[in-house]
């Protein structure tokens, strides 16, 4: 037996259950509606989403496995959407930046090519000028040599009078000045030609570099646009999957609601049976007590169940961890508050389920959403008619008759409305559900 679990006060139990459900609903809303923060750690985000999904699974333990699976898949898709949207925004931003860089590179290349062409034109013009200047100088020299040459000097020296001598000397100076000016112009044009050739070479190298930069920028822009297109396709696929999954959930929800009505009917039937048995047991106990008093004997307290009050009266039906406690919770699919009427033990299928106390098996077999079920009446304990139920069993070991504390009554399964292997354990007082922790 032992007393491994102590129950808090009724007020605190309700507060804990309500607070847990509210937090779960808030976490679910956060999963569906909020985008993941930009630049967040993907590993941490995944753990956060996984924890929220686990919480959703816990809330769905009283739901059919296929509906629960469809809803969990829908929630995972919804949780992935903000990340996909952020990824698309990032990809589109990168594509826009790459397009801008590509445009700048293209402009720089165009400017470099224009400068190169302009310089090529200037070089062609200067080359022509140099060629023409060389031709003029050569022609001038030839003309001087043929027509005058040193004859001018001879004429000056053989002049008959001073005036003739002076005129001839002035003529010679003029000719020499013109020749010197032509030679200087030719030298300047040749220097300009050499500078233009060097400048053109540099411009061509710059154009080649700009062309390579433009090619790289264009490739990056194409790659970024392709990434943005993939991100858009991924987001569209997620949105389509969400719409499809939402339809699947909706179709399965109608069938599950019909099962829920059957579950509620089964609960009402069990309550009526236990309430009737409780009334009969209390009537018998009162009659026995009156008879004892009539004989002068004390009644000695309640009968039939072995006594000891509430705390610790029941043993744990399974040694495995508790995956879900008793209490009110907001159902994420049905969208209303409902009582989780028992305590769930996360035991593997096939694990032995043991009677929490001695009593009589009053019901066993299939019970709709409860699956394979065993109900044990423990009689009157501390003035209350106490019963326990063992649900979703894979198979039943004890179908009827008296059972002793710790006796195997069945094996853990996932029959009925269940999302996976576990034991759903309930306690009832006079046919009404109570928190099992009160008796454990």
């Amino acid at each position: 037996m032992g007393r491994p679990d102590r129950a808090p006060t009724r007020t605190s139990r309700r507060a804990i259950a309500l607070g847990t459900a509210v937090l779960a609903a808030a976490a679910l809303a956060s999963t569906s509606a909020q985008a993941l923060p930009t630049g967040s750690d993907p590993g941490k985000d995944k753990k956060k989403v996984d924890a929220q999904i686990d919480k959703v699974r816990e809330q769905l333990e009283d739901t059919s496995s296929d509906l629960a699976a469809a809803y969990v898949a829908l929630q995972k898709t919804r949780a992935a959407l903000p990340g996909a949207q952020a990824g698309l925004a990032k990809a589109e931003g990168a594509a826009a930046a790459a397009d801008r860089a590509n445009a700048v590179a293209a402009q720089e290349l165009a400017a470099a090519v224009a400068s190169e062409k302009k310089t090529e034109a200037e070089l062609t013009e200067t080359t022509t000028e140099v060629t023409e200047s060389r031709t003029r100088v050569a022609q001038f020299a030839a003309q001087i040599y043929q027509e005058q040459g040193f004859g001018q000097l001879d004429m000056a020296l053989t002049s008959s009078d001073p005036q003739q001598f002076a005129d001839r000397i002035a003529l010679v100076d003029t000719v020499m000045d013109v020749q010197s000016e032509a030679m200087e112009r030719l030298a300047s044009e040749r220097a300009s030609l050499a500078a233009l050739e060097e400048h053109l070479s540099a411009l061509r190298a710059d154009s080649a570099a700009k062309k390579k930069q433009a090619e790289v920028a264009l490739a990056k822009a194409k790659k970024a646009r392709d990434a943005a297109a993939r991100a858009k396709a991924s987001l569209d696929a997620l949105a389509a999957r969400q719409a499809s999954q939402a339809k699947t959930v909706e179709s399965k929800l109608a069938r599950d609601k019909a099962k829920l009505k059957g579950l509620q009917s089964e609960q009402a039937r069990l309550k009526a049976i236990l309430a009737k048995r409780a009334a009969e047991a209390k009537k018998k106990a009162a009659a026995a007590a009156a008879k004892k008093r009539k004989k002068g004997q004390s009644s000695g307290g309640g009968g039939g169940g072995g006594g000891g009050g509430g705390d610790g009266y029941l043993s744990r039906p399974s040694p495995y961890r508790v995956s879900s406690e008793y209490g009110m919770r907001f159902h994420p699919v049905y969208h209303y508050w409902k009582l989780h009427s028992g305590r769930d033990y996360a035991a593997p299928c096939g694990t032995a389920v043991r009677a929490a106390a001695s009593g009589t098996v009053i019901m066993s077999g299939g019970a709709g959403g409860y699956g394979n079920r065993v109900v044990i009446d423990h009689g009157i304990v501390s003035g209350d008619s106490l019963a326990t139920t063992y649900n979703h069993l894979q198979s039943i070991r004890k179908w009827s008759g008296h059972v002793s504390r710790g006796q195997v009554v069945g094996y853990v399964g996932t029959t009925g409305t269940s999302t996976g292997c576990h034991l759903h354990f309930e306690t009832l007082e006079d046919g009404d559900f109570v928190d099992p922790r009160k008796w454990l």
Side-chain angles (χ1 to χ4, degrees), residues 394-415:
Q394 184 181 78
S395 59
I396 296 173
R397 177 77 174 272
K398 186 67 175 178
W399 291 87
S400 61
H402 178 78
V403 292
S404 301
R405 182 188 302 274
Q407 185 176 348
V408 176
V409 296
Y411 300 93
V412 172
T414 183
T415 57

Side-chain angles (χ1 to χ4, degrees), residues 206-217:
D206 184 56
S207 294
K210 290 291 193 299
K211 182 179 180 182
K212 186 173 291 185
Q213 292 173 0
E215 290 172 349
V216 171

Side-chain angles (χ1 to χ4, degrees), residues 165-220:
F165 177 80
D167 291 341
R168 289 181 176 181
I169 289 297
L171 178 61
V172 170
D173 289 340
T174 300
V175 170
M176 294 302 292
D177 287 342
V178 171
Q179 184 178 8
S180 176
E181 182 180 346
M183 293 298 293
E184 288 177 359
R185 183 182 301 169
L186 175 60
S188 175
E189 289 173 347
R190 290 178 65 183
S192 177
L193 179 64
L196 282 172
E197 288 175 341
E198 183 178 354
H199 182 52
L200 180 59
S201 177
L203 285 176
R204 284 172 175 167
D206 184 56
S207 294
K210 290 291 193 299
K211 182 179 180 182
K212 186 173 291 185
Q213 292 173 0
E215 290 172 349
V216 171
L218 178 62
K220 285 184 177 179

Side-chain angles (χ1 to χ4, degrees), residues 64-132:
S64 64
S65 57
D66 54 349
L67 174 58
Y71 186 76
V72 168
L74 173 60
Q75 291 308 110
K76 285 184 176 180
T77 300
R78 285 177 174 170
L81 279 170
Q85 290 167 343
L88 174 58
K90 183 177 180 181
E92 288 178 339
D99 284 339
R100 289 194 295 271
N102 179 45
V104 170
Q107 290 173 356
E108 291 179 349
L109 175 60
V113 170
S115 296
E116 182 182 339
K117 288 183 177 180
K118 180 180 178 182
T119 303
E120 284 177 346
E122 291 175 355
L123 179 62
T124 300
E125 182 180 352
T126 303
T127 301
T128 301
E129 291 176 355
V130 168
T131 301
E132 291 176 350

Side-chain angles (χ1 to χ4, degrees), residues 246-437:
K247 288 182 179 178
T248 300
V249 169
E250 190 65 28
S251 65
K252 293 182 182 299
L253 178 59
R255 183 208 57 201
D256 240 44
K257 285 183 175 179
K259 287 186 177 181
L260 179 61
K261 289 183 179 179
L263 187 67
Q264 292 169 338
S265 298
E266 181 63 24
Q267 289 175 337
R269 185 172 78 90
L270 176 61
K271 178 178 179 179
I273 292 173
L274 292 176
K276 182 178 179 181
R277 290 179 63 88
E280 291 175 351
K282 289 182 178 180
K283 185 177 179 180
K284 289 180 180 178
K291 187 176 181 180
K292 287 182 179 181
R293 284 196 300 271
K294 189 174 181 180
K295 292 182 178 180
Q297 299 176 350
S298 62
S299 64
D311 288 345
Y313 177 76
L314 296 178
S315 302
R316 287 170 63 100
S318 172
Y320 286 85
R321 71 176 181 86
V322 175
S323 60
S324 184
E325 292 284 5
Y326 172 96
M328 295 297 295
R329 64 178 57 170
F330 184 80
H331 198 286
V333 183
Y334 299 149
H335 297 293
Y336 63 77
W337 290 92
K338 67 184 292 289
L339 175 67
H340 182 246
S341 56
R343 205 180 199 208
D344 292 342
Y345 291 86
C349 282
T351 304
V353 175
R354 302 181 182 277
S358 299
T360 302
V361 175
I362 61 170
M363 292 177 64
S364 60
Y370 281 111
N372 293 326
R373 182 186 210 188
V374 172
V375 180
I376 300 175
D377 185 352
H378 301 287
I380 305 299
V381 181
S382 299
D384 294 310
S385 175
L386 178 64
T388 55
T389 73
Y390 310 78
N391 305 279
H392 306 306
L393 300 177
Q394 184 181 78
S395 59
I396 296 173
R397 177 77 174 272
K398 186 67 175 178
W399 291 87
S400 61
H402 178 78
V403 292
S404 301
R405 182 188 302 274
Q407 185 176 348
V408 176
V409 296
Y411 300 93
V412 172
T414 183
T415 57
T417 306
S418 169
T419 57
C421 298
H422 73 288
L423 169 66
H424 178 68
F425 174 69
E426 298 172 330
T427 55
L428 299 97
E429 294 177 1
D430 299 334
D432 292 318
F433 292 111
V434 295
D435 191 340
R437 288 179 296 180

